[in-house]
Every structure is written in C-alpha cells, then in structure tokens.
Amino acid sequence: MSKPMNQKNPKTIHGIIPPMLTPLLSDWTLDHEGTRRLVDHMIDGGVHGIFILGTTGESTSLSYQTRRELIEETTSHVNGRVPILVGITDTSIEESLNLVSLAHDFGADAVVAAPPFYFQLGQEELYEFYWDLADRSKLPIFLYNMPSMTKISMSIDTAERLSKHENIIGLKDSSANTVYFQKLRYTIKKDDFALFVGPEEIMAETVLMGGNGGVNGGANLFPKLYVHMYEAALAHDFDTIKVLQRQILEISSLLYTVGRFDSSYLKGLKGAASLLGICGNYLAPPLKPFLEKEMEQIKNNLELINKKLNKILS
C-alpha cells in the first residue's frame, strides 16, 4: 500500500473539515466515481481537510468492506492535498484498531473515535477505554463527543485528563452546547490540542471563542460558504459573519428539517447532493432516502439557497 505524498502534520489540522457523505450505489456498495467527485468538489471549495466515516458518512451502517474501500479511495484520490481524518468508532476496540491500521497503511493523518455506543459507560471506564485505544493506535486520535447518538457525554474532567495523552490531539464536540465548548477551551491547557465543533449553526461562535474550526455537514454541498465563514470568524469580521450566519441557518432550516424524521438531516444532505449531481440518493439501511414529495421540497429549497449563495459568494 502506498501512502499519499505530502502528508500533513496532524497537530496543524484546522479550519473546515467536512464530515464527508459516503456515496453509495443502489446495492449499498461504494460509489467510487461519486466519491472522487465529492472529494474534488469539497477541495475545490477550499476546505482544510476531510473527515470520512463519521455520523454524516453513515459509518455504523456500512460493511467493513465498504469502509475499507472508502478509506482507500479517499486517501488515494486526495493524494495529500488536504489532511484526512478517519472515523474508527465501533463497539469493539479490536475493530476500531483494525480501522486505525487501514487508515495508517493508506496514508490518513489522524483518526476520530466516539465512545462505544452499547454499554452505558461511566466516566472512568470511558477514560480507560480511550487511554488504551490511544496507547495502541498507530495514528493520532481526535476524541468525538456525540451524546445524541452514543448516549454518553464526555465530562470536562475526562476530556482534560485524556488531553494529556501524547497521542490524543483534539476533540470534536457535537453536543451543540456552547457553554460546554467554552469550558473545554479554558480547562484544557495543552496548546496544540485542537477543538472542533460539529453543528454548523454555532461554528463561527466557537471559532470566535478560540476554537480551531468546524466539522460541518453543509460543507459537503457548499464548501466555499463555510470556508468564508471560518475566515470571517478568524478575522473577527462581524459584518460578514452576520450575512453568512443567516445563510447557514437557512440551509439548516430548508434542508435538514424536511419531513418528520429524526434522520431528516442525512436525508436532506444526500438528497441535495444528488440534485447537485455530486452523488446518488442512496442511504445505507436502516435509513431510506426521501420519497418524491420530500425531494420536490428539497429541490425547491435548494433553488432558493443557490440564488442567495450566488449573490453572496459572487
């Protein structure tokens, strides 16, 4: 296995790191062409890295073969242009470490691990799990706080203790709790420990707090918008932030809340990606794509979004 050239220093990862959709075919196998098209679309939009096999990538619903193919296809096609983070979340530490090995061998830069999501772990058990994982991982690790999916919330104390491990280099927080994020920012004293936020609606706010960037699903579709927002937040350009924040909130409202599904975010993202010609509208079971009624709504909403984006980004 050959590694991509020009791998990045994981401790310099920052900015907009989209949690990449996983393009699938109708039989739920990997859409290789769609994967390459999506990668190029995001990199051409200026993103600072790519995160595969996260929640937006439907990682826990994919076969291990598909996960392997996605790691190989993405690292090969990116070829060192931006850092690649690989999700290794699993209920088995052995399977997580197998994914680490694949990510390492194919040339990824770091891995991302949410807590195991079956047993209700206490904080000490969570700490011990991550410490063992970091000891055995061939790649640097980003912690992933995702309580809505894992039913486990990492405490500030646990995150601070884990930040002391030399192989744990950052944390992605998807709790949507800015007070929690701010406490992380001021409790963890490790200068090169990166803090990212998942929900795009609060990305600018957390960057203004001193955060390192956003792992924002909308950057699959509109990478330039999120990159511009990150840059505006870094520059404390509040006039630009105000304009872009309104657009980001509109994307969230018009694409992520269609229908009455807990999975509307994913259905909306994949449906919009298919309408933009990026990849097909196929989700891995147990999820299913929107039907014609919802897709017509997504189409109309997407036209509204694109009209406004063309004015803002022109």
Side-chain angles (χ1 to χ4, degrees):
M1 302 175 187
S2 59
K3 294 184 180 181
M5 297 175 64
N6 304 319
Q7 278 185 280
K8 313 299 181 184
N9 178 356
K11 293 189 177 182
T12 65
I13 293 173
H14 67 282
I16 299 301
I17 317 286
M20 193 174 86
L21 293 164
T22 300
L24 298 173
L25 300 173
S26 59
D27 60 357
W28 310 312
T29 57
L30 185 67
D31 177 0
H32 290 263
E33 183 179 345
T35 298
R36 293 189 293 271
R37 194 160 49 238
L38 176 55
V39 164
D40 288 338
H41 173 70
M42 293 187 295
I43 293 178
D44 290 346
V47 302
H48 305 87
I50 292 174
F51 168 37
I52 62 172
L53 294 176
T55 306
T56 303
E58 305 170 72
S59 59
T60 57
S61 299
L62 303 176
S63 70
Y64 289 110
Q65 177 61 32
T66 299
R67 298 186 212 188
R68 177 192 176 94
E69 289 180 18
L70 180 65
I71 295 170
E72 182 175 13
E73 183 67 74
T74 305
T75 51
S76 173
H77 192 63
V78 169
N79 195 29
R81 287 180 285 172
V82 296
I84 297 175
L85 282 61
V86 176
I88 60 166
T89 301
D90 205 282
T91 53
S92 163
I93 193 170
E94 290 179 280
E95 294 296 351
S96 289
L97 289 167
N98 287 339
L99 289 170
V100 171
S101 292
L102 285 172
H104 173 270
D105 291 346
F106 285 122
D109 298 274
V111 294
V112 184
F117 46 85
Y118 186 83
F119 291 108
Q120 190 71 32
L121 300 182
Q123 292 299 311
E124 190 61 28
E125 292 168 312
L126 189 61
Y127 169 80
E128 291 173 353
F129 167 79
Y130 274 117
W131 199 270
D132 290 344
L133 184 65
D135 277 344
R136 299 167 63 185
S137 176
K138 296 177 181 179
L139 287 172
I141 293 175
F142 280 85
L143 308 173
Y144 185 3
N145 187 46
M146 186 57 160
S148 64
M149 295 296 185
T150 64
K151 308 301 184 290
I152 300 170
S153 182
M154 185 179 299
S155 72
I156 301 293
D157 178 65
T158 298
E160 191 274 333
R161 291 171 66 198
L162 288 170
S163 72
K164 296 175 182 177
H165 196 296
E166 64 180 4
N167 208 27
I168 296 177
I169 63 169
L171 182 148
K172 178 199 172 186
D173 176 43
S174 290
S175 69
N177 184 338
T178 55
V179 174
Y180 174 86
F181 190 91
Q182 191 164 7
K183 287 181 178 178
L184 286 173
R185 175 73 179 82
Y186 289 100
T187 301
I188 295 174
K189 304 302 183 184
K190 193 173 176 182
D191 291 339
D192 57 359
F193 189 85
L195 290 174
F196 288 85
V197 71
E200 54 212 62
E201 298 87 347
I202 59 172
M203 184 266 288
E205 180 180 350
T206 54
V207 171
L208 288 167
M209 288 179 189
N212 297 87
V215 184
N216 307 144
N220 281 274
L221 308 176
F222 313 110
K224 290 180 181 179
L225 170 64
Y226 294 87
V227 170
H228 285 336
M229 177 61 109
Y230 170 73
E231 292 171 345
L234 274 185
H236 291 199
D237 180 354
F238 292 102
D239 289 337
T240 299
I241 289 171
K242 184 178 180 180
V243 173
L244 300 183
Q245 180 72 5
R246 187 180 298 114
Q247 187 61 55
I248 287 172
L249 290 174
E250 191 164 274
I251 289 168
S252 175
S253 173
L254 294 178
L255 297 184
Y256 305 162
T257 60
V258 172
R260 298 181 178 180
F261 304 94
D262 290 339
S263 57
S264 286
Y265 161 74
L266 268 173
K267 293 174 187 284
L269 267 181
K270 266 230 170 133
S274 70
L275 292 171
L276 292 172
I278 297 172
C279 63
N281 191 18
Y282 301 106
L283 278 75
L287 300 182
K288 292 182 179 296
F290 278 141
L291 298 177
E292 184 177 352
K293 177 183 177 181
E294 289 86 6
M295 283 301 296
E296 185 64 27
Q297 189 175 347
I298 291 289
K299 179 182 177 182
N300 293 335
N301 291 349
L302 193 58
E303 289 175 357
L304 291 173
I305 291 167
N306 275 324
K307 284 180 182 178
K308 292 185 179 181
L309 276 181
N310 288 336
K311 292 180 181 178
I312 292 171
L313 301 178
S314 61

